[in-house]
Amino acid sequence: MTDAAEPRGAALLLAAGGSTRFGSDKRKLLFNEEPLLSYVVALYERVCPRVLVVVKPGDERIQGLVNRPCEWVVARDATEGMSRSIAAGVRALDSAPWVIIGLADMPYVSPDTVSQIARTLEAGAIIARPRSSGRTGNPVGFNSRLFGPLMDLKGDRGARVLIDDHIRDVVDVEVRDQGIFRDIDRPEDLT
């Protein structure tokens, strides 16, 4: 792949949740013989030249779980909902042309899916989201034109409201990846 074909955007991984349904800090959970958070960072690092991980205040110790290059962002108001983590991460992006927002508890997403979303954004899409079997999932990519609205989001619904408001700008990327629906909320989600 030539330099011109390499993605220029960033991945933003949301890792500021409390793992309350899981019962312990799932970011530390061993997944394929490495901490879950490190595994997910590696998944996005294969495609995106920058990977930012958003954590809540007091989570600085979690950085030791990841043995790959990534940028750490502390969302000071993370307790106000997922939207505040997104806002903190987007603020840290600077001049990235686009961002793919993923969840740190979704290790089953295929790198090919992330790559397809990145290519769709590189081709000029405003919003790119994966779709399989008639359903849409995560991660979702956003062009930099939506960074302002992403930083203005409120509550715990993530970027769904923004996607609904810009539904005509959404490109659904057809994938064969059930991992776009699968996160780890409870221990039984690992089976």
Side-chain angles (χ1 to χ4, degrees), residues 101-175:
I101 300 175
L103 304 176
D105 66 352
M106 291 188 73
Y108 299 105
V109 172
S110 166
D112 289 337
T113 295
V114 178
S115 183
Q116 285 181 265
I117 292 169
R119 286 194 306 270
T120 303
L121 292 164
E122 285 288 323
I126 304 300
I127 299 173
R129 66 181 177 185
R131 184 174 128 131
S132 182
S133 306
R135 296 172 43 212
T136 59
N138 284 300
V140 178
F142 298 88
N143 182 283
S144 63
R145 290 190 282 183
L146 292 180
F147 286 5
L150 282 167
M151 289 187 281
D152 291 338
L153 292 171
K154 305 283 186 236
D156 204 32
R157 290 195 59 221
R160 287 185 204 150
V161 172
L162 185 60
I163 293 168
D164 292 344
D165 288 348
H166 292 269
I167 198 67
R168 288 184 164 176
D169 295 321
V170 175
V171 175
D172 285 329
V173 179
E174 290 295 331
V175 297

Side-chain angles (χ1 to χ4, degrees), residues 20-51:
T20 52
R21 289 179 283 179
F22 193 78
S24 63
D25 191 342
K26 61 187 166 186
R27 298 170 300 184
K28 298 177 181 179
L29 168 79
L30 286 184
F31 187 88
N32 284 1
E33 300 181 14
E34 70 177 304
L36 177 65
L37 183 58
S38 183
Y39 183 88
V40 176
V41 167
L43 187 156
Y44 285 87
E45 182 188 43
R46 293 180 200 169
V47 176
C48 299
R50 288 177 70 196
V51 177

